[in-house]
Amino acid sequence: MFCNPKASITMEKRIRIGGVAEDQKALNTEIRVSSQFHIMDLPTADLHEILFRLPINSIMNLKHVCRELYKLISNPDFALNYTSKSPLSTVLIPTITRSSAIWRHYEYFDLLQVSDNYDCIRTTFNPKIPSRPTNVIYGFFVVGTSNGLLCLSVPKCRTESVYVCNPIMGECMPLPRRKIKRGQLDAEYGFGYCRSTNKYKVLRIFCKLGSEYAEQEGHIFTIGIDHKWRVLANQTIPFCFTIPFCFSYKFIALNGTFHWIVKNDDSAWISTFDLGEEKVGQLSHPRGLVLDPYLKKLESINNQLYLLDSSSSSEIVLWEMKEYGVAESWTKDIIVDISCTSVLRRRRLVPVTILKNGDVLFSSPLGENLISYNPIQRKLTQIPGFCYGIFAYAPSFLSLKEAVMGGHQSTINMLSK
């Protein structure tokens, strides 16, 4: 339901004028000045400048003001510009609330927008995910995010369901389920966007619990095209299954490619999977740096590939690949001194994002709090608040079907609020 697109905003200015007449009686006259203003009459650049400064919950409310605003905000370019030009940095926190001794809980997302001075705006979003058994401890697992969409793995008794959702739109789309038989392998998932085909894909590999390294069969699912999982022919996926950075992505999606660290008995390397060609490859790592999946971790921050090195007890090093695919472009970008803080030395920090003021936002795997680091002042600041499983997030104000199908009609089963 929209209002009239020419609906006006009435601005009233009340000016009170006081005076004293010759008869010494006070005269008070109130002048009301009224003018009408159509918000869509603003120049486009000025309107964008206003919208980019608003928090996401306000943007979502404005979508329903008029058709013109709905079209403007739903444009994919608007979300891209909002992410880059908003003064707020956005992160998403999957939250599980337990309400009784039998582990009854509700799953939702807390969206946190952080300003340069660490003022936070928190908004809760609840995508339509089918109800789960009440005796299961964990809810969904976020296995990947791309262009504002999330891929969720929801383990259930004897089945495992995978969903793609847009949390702020409250929409969710199920993928084909996997039946779990006794003794069957566990699964790992990756979710990414292929620019060459303009499609989203989900990668799935099976792993044997407790194994550290294996070459496994891979399965791929193209959203909006495939009706069942496809087996990747004539190739296997190398993978390590006991990475200690709990509850973070196993596959890092960047430039239409998945990235992850692999280690066997003889060597270690960065393995890749190209979503367009659907082929496994390798990427160089910093020269002289020993790759260890227990102490090194890949991250995508602001569309750049980073390698986190936490092997030292006195510092954390972030390597940045300045030019993607060029081995010589790996650079020690940020060095965090943690030697002065005994509490931090006992934690394995994970980078979340780089804030708009240049500070680096970290979280600990157990999510006790957030920690920001100012690389210029070399200052650490702890931000209280539970942030279990936090990750950087770029919102999408486009409907899920529009995002994955480009407006074409489909038999996609969509769940919404």
Side-chain angles (χ1 to χ4, degrees):
M1 181 67 67
F2 300 102
C3 73
N4 188 330
K6 290 299 182 182
S8 62
I9 301 173
T10 301
M11 298 181 294
E12 296 183 352
K13 297 181 180 178
R14 296 189 177 186
I15 306 172
R16 182 170 296 278
I17 300 176
V20 180
E22 292 181 354
D23 59 1
Q24 303 301 311
K25 292 183 178 180
L27 298 178
N28 293 294
T29 306
E30 184 179 85
I31 302 176
R32 176 176 296 179
V33 181
S34 300
S35 61
Q36 286 191 338
F37 168 69
H38 300 154
I39 190 170
M40 297 307 298
D41 289 340
L42 277 172
T44 303
D46 293 344
L47 180 57
H48 281 176
E49 184 68 21
I50 294 172
L51 295 177
F52 293 153
R53 293 181 177 274
L54 297 177
I56 288 176
N57 58 341
S58 298
I59 296 291
M60 293 301 296
N61 290 333
L62 283 174
K63 280 193 69 173
H64 304 287
V65 169
C66 63
R67 295 185 186 276
E68 280 81 356
L69 275 176
Y70 182 90
K71 292 179 181 179
L72 186 152
I73 294 171
S74 298
N75 189 310
D77 291 335
F78 177 84
L80 293 175
N81 289 324
Y82 179 86
T83 299
S84 62
K85 297 180 180 180
S86 171
L88 303 171
S89 299
T90 305
V91 294
L92 207 60
I93 309 171
T95 305
I96 299 175
T97 301
R98 301 175 175 87
S99 59
S100 72
I102 60 172
W103 302 107
R104 181 183 298 273
H105 59 273
Y106 306 94
E107 300 109 341
Y108 57 90
F109 290 97
D110 272 343
L111 186 142
L112 200 66
Q113 293 192 274
V114 186
S115 68
D116 288 349
N117 58 358
Y118 303 115
D119 289 335
C120 297
I121 301 173
R122 185 182 292 263
T123 309
T124 297
F125 293 99
N126 185 14
K128 181 67 175 179
I129 301 175
S131 59
R132 287 175 34 79
T134 59
N135 60 343
V136 178
I137 296 177
Y138 294 109
F140 52 73
F141 294 94
V142 180
V143 298
T145 177
S146 182
N147 299 334
L149 305 185
L150 306 181
C151 185
L152 310 178
S153 169
V154 184
K156 298 183 179 182
C157 296
R158 298 182 181 177
T159 63
E160 182 174 45
S161 299
V162 180
Y163 300 89
V164 174
C165 78
N166 184 335
I168 67 173
M169 296 294 292
E171 297 174 327
C172 189
M173 183 184 69
L175 273 57
R177 289 185 178 182
R178 177 177 75 98
K179 293 183 179 180
I180 303 175
K181 298 179 182 180
R182 180 173 296 180
Q184 194 174 29
L185 301 178
D186 195 9
E188 295 287 353
Y189 296 91
F191 174 65
Y193 171 72
C194 179
R195 186 178 296 274
S196 62
T197 62
N198 194 31
K199 295 297 180 183
Y200 292 88
K201 295 187 177 184
V202 182
L203 174 66
R204 180 181 70 185
I205 63 172
F206 295 116
C207 57
K208 185 178 296 183
L209 294 177
S211 62
E212 291 194 7
Y213 173 82
E215 297 273 348
Q216 295 290 353
E217 182 180 79
H219 300 80
I220 197 77
F221 188 89
T222 303
I223 299 173
I225 293 181
D226 291 336
H227 298 285
K228 63 180 181 179
W229 292 89
R230 294 182 286 113
V231 177
L232 292 171
N234 303 321
Q235 61 180 326
T236 55
I237 308 293
F239 200 76
C240 292
F241 303 114
T242 55
I243 307 300
F245 283 96
C246 301
F247 305 104
S248 57
Y249 306 146
K250 301 297 191 299
F251 296 99
I252 303 302
L254 179 68
N255 296 331
T257 303
F258 290 133
H259 308 76
W260 67 99
I261 297 176
V262 179
K263 183 179 185 299
N264 59 19
D265 295 335
D266 301 320
S267 61
W269 65 95
I270 297 176
S271 192
T272 63
F273 181 82
D274 187 292
L275 287 172
E277 297 182 357
E278 298 185 356
K279 291 184 179 179
V280 176
Q282 292 188 20
L283 189 70
S284 61
H285 61 274
R287 296 185 187 278
L289 186 68
V290 178
L291 280 185
D292 182 350
Y294 287 87
L295 299 172
K296 311 293 193 297
K297 188 181 187 305
L298 292 171
E299 284 290 346
S300 173
I301 303 177
N302 296 346
N303 295 318
Q304 292 291 117
L305 186 65
Y306 282 83
L307 176 61
L308 172 72
D309 180 5
S310 60
S311 58
S312 171
S313 62
S314 60
E315 65 181 19
I316 297 173
V317 178
L318 273 175
W319 293 80
E320 180 186 0
M321 195 175 218
K322 298 287 187 180
E323 187 176 349
Y324 183 78
V326 179
E328 293 74 16
S329 69
W330 280 109
T331 306
K332 276 189 178 182
D333 190 59
I334 297 172
I335 301 177
V336 183
D337 181 10
I338 60 173
S339 60
C340 59
T341 310
S342 60
V343 175
L344 295 183
R345 287 202 302 270
R346 295 194 298 268
R347 300 178 184 174
R348 193 163 292 168
L349 300 182
V350 179
V352 176
T353 188
I354 297 178
L355 301 178
K356 297 300 176 72
N357 62 2
D359 291 1
V360 185
L361 194 65
F362 291 89
S363 72
S364 58
L366 296 181
E368 300 95 328
N369 50 29
L370 289 171
I371 297 167
S372 72
Y373 177 73
N374 186 313
I376 297 177
Q377 301 178 357
R378 300 177 67 85
K379 178 183 177 182
L380 285 164
T381 303
Q382 295 197 43
I383 306 173
F386 190 69
C387 54
Y388 189 68
I390 189 172
F391 56 91
Y393 179 70
S396 170
F397 305 103
L398 196 64
S399 73
L400 185 54
K401 181 173 288 190
E402 192 76 22
V404 300
M405 292 299 299
H408 300 294
Q409 295 298 318
S410 170
T411 57
I412 286 179
N413 180 18
M414 195 73 62
L415 306 171
S416 60
K417 289 180 179 177

